[in-house]
């Protein structure tokens, strides 16, 4: 996950350099196979051999760009943390540039099924540090999120752009989202039921390269056990 979120993803719809005869895909409207010709592929600028941007964010801070000392809405020199203003602008720019989101697990499985003529994009969040900030619960049991946190902004964009296929994978440590464990358990169940994925970021956020085999097993195994207790069979088997 090398692309910094402050950068515009590399355009992935260049004219193909290989010979394409025809292909088929299903459409959400009909679930029927549609066949596209080589000419239609060229006219749409589709290149299925290009790369897929995987954007790794960390924390989204409830700040305006004017409140940070760094340029472009970054909250740190490396661009891993973004202001809420910048993150929302990022998402709108990706949509306008023709990107459509897909799940990380679908990418790993080779299931890249964005609509014809659009480019795939994957969002991930490491650490889970206050990326999901709970303000309370509605009477129907659904969560009320801080509108300036990551998931609050994602839900806003999802409502505005239904065809964006808004989704993201959140890799958490033992503290989860820091809303209190009972709240976080309920939130995580809501997340996996509403198009988001949860993954393993180790128990204590250690650098596994400096750990022996026993410590790696403890760090990774602890989190898989915890996830299995909260959302059994619904978390992603990917360690970030």
């Amino acid at each position: 996950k090398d692309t910094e979120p402050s950068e515009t993803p590399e355009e992935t719809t260049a004219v193909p350099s290989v010979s394409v005869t025809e292909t088929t895909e299903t459409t959400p409207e009909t679930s029927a196979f549609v066949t596209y010709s080589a000419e239609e592929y060229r006219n749409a600028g589709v290149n299925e051999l290009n790369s897929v941007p995987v954007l790794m964010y960390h924390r989204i801070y409830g700040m305006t760009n004017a409140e940070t000392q760094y340029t472009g809405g970054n909250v740190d020199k490396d661009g891993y943390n973004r202001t809420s203003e910048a993150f929302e602008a990022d998402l709108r720019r990706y949509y306008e540039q023709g990107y459509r989101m897909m799940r990380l697990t679908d990418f790993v499985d080779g299931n890249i099924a964005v609509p014809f003529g659009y480019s795939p994009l994957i969002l991930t969040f490491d650490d889970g540090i206050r990326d999901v900030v709970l303000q309370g619960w509605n009477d129907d049991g659904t969560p009320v999120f801080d509108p300036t946190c990551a998931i609050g902004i994602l839900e806003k964009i999802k409502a505005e752009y239904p065809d964006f296929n808004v989704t993201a994978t959140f890799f958490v440590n033992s503290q989860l989202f820091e809303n209190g464990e009972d709240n976080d358990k309920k939130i995580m169940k809501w997340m996996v039921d509403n198009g988001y994925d949860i993954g393993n970021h180790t128990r204590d956020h250690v650098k596994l390269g400096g750990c022996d085999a026993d410590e790696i097993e403890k760090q990774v195994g602890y989190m898989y056990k915890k996830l299995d207790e909260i959302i059994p069979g619904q978390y992603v088997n990917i360690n970030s």
Side-chain angles (χ1 to χ4, degrees), residues 109-189:
D109 292 339
N111 180 25
I112 303 174
V114 296
F116 181 78
Y118 292 92
S119 298
L121 177 71
I122 298 167
L123 293 188
T124 71
F125 292 84
D126 275 3
D127 304 343
I129 304 172
R130 305 297 284 165
D131 280 323
V132 178
V133 179
L134 183 70
Q135 289 188 330
W137 296 95
N138 291 311
D139 292 340
D140 63 0
T142 56
V144 179
F145 297 118
D146 182 334
T148 67
C149 76
I151 201 164
I153 296 169
L154 287 166
E155 284 292 290
K156 176 182 179 180
I157 296 297
K158 182 193 290 185
E160 290 186 31
Y161 304 111
D163 63 325
F164 199 6
N165 190 35
V166 170
T167 183
T169 301
F170 293 79
F171 292 96
V172 296
N173 307 115
S174 59
Q175 80 277 13
L176 305 178
F177 295 115
E178 298 184 342
N179 294 293
E181 186 152 328
D182 288 343
N183 281 326
D184 280 339
K185 287 179 177 179
K186 290 173 63 178
I187 290 169
M188 290 168 69
K189 291 174 183 177

Side-chain angles (χ1 to χ4, degrees), residues 41-240:
Y41 259 59
R42 285 192 295 270
N43 291 340
V46 174
N47 182 359
E48 290 186 306
L49 299 182
N50 213 326
S51 56
V52 175
V54 180
L55 305 187
M56 178 184 67
Y57 288 88
H58 279 68
R59 181 172 176 180
I60 304 303
Y61 285 77
M63 301 167 60
T64 65
N65 292 349
E67 294 176 294
T68 175
Q69 62 178 311
Y70 298 99
T71 60
N74 291 337
V75 185
D76 64 289
K77 64 182 180 64
D78 296 314
Y80 294 126
N81 302 294
R82 302 280 278 158
T83 68
S84 54
E85 178 186 351
F87 179 57
E88 182 172 334
D90 289 346
L91 297 179
R92 294 184 186 280
R93 184 171 69 253
Y94 304 150
Y95 181 84
E96 292 166 0
Q97 290 179 340
Y99 288 92
R100 296 297 180 265
M101 295 190 204
M102 61 175 293
R103 282 179 151 161
L104 178 61
T105 51
D106 285 336
F107 175 69
V108 171
D109 292 339
N111 180 25
I112 303 174
V114 296
F116 181 78
Y118 292 92
S119 298
L121 177 71
I122 298 167
L123 293 188
T124 71
F125 292 84
D126 275 3
D127 304 343
I129 304 172
R130 305 297 284 165
D131 280 323
V132 178
V133 179
L134 183 70
Q135 289 188 330
W137 296 95
N138 291 311
D139 292 340
D140 63 0
T142 56
V144 179
F145 297 118
D146 182 334
T148 67
C149 76
I151 201 164
I153 296 169
L154 287 166
E155 284 292 290
K156 176 182 179 180
I157 296 297
K158 182 193 290 185
E160 290 186 31
Y161 304 111
D163 63 325
F164 199 6
N165 190 35
V166 170
T167 183
T169 301
F170 293 79
F171 292 96
V172 296
N173 307 115
S174 59
Q175 80 277 13
L176 305 178
F177 295 115
E178 298 184 342
N179 294 293
E181 186 152 328
D182 288 343
N183 281 326
D184 280 339
K185 287 179 177 179
K186 290 173 63 178
I187 290 169
M188 290 168 69
K189 291 174 183 177
W190 179 90
M191 289 174 69
V192 297
D193 287 338
N194 285 272
Y196 300 98
D197 290 312
I198 308 292
N200 186 338
H201 200 49
T202 75
R203 182 185 66 189
D204 301 313
H205 197 262
V206 298
K207 294 182 178 180
L208 295 179
C211 298
D212 59 26
D214 287 342
E215 183 61 20
I216 291 173
E217 184 174 351
K218 289 177 182 177
Q219 290 289 332
V220 176
Y222 174 90
M223 281 311 301
Y224 277 131
K225 181 179 179 182
K226 192 176 189 73
L227 293 176
D228 199 49
E229 292 171 352
I230 300 171
I231 44 174
Q234 294 181 287
Y235 55 88
V236 299
N237 289 308
I238 301 173
N239 182 66
S240 169

Side-chain angles (χ1 to χ4, degrees), residues 20-34:
V20 180
T21 54
E22 65 179 25
T23 189
T24 59
E25 69 170 20
T26 59
T27 64
E29 293 81 8
T30 65
S31 296
F33 280 100
V34 178

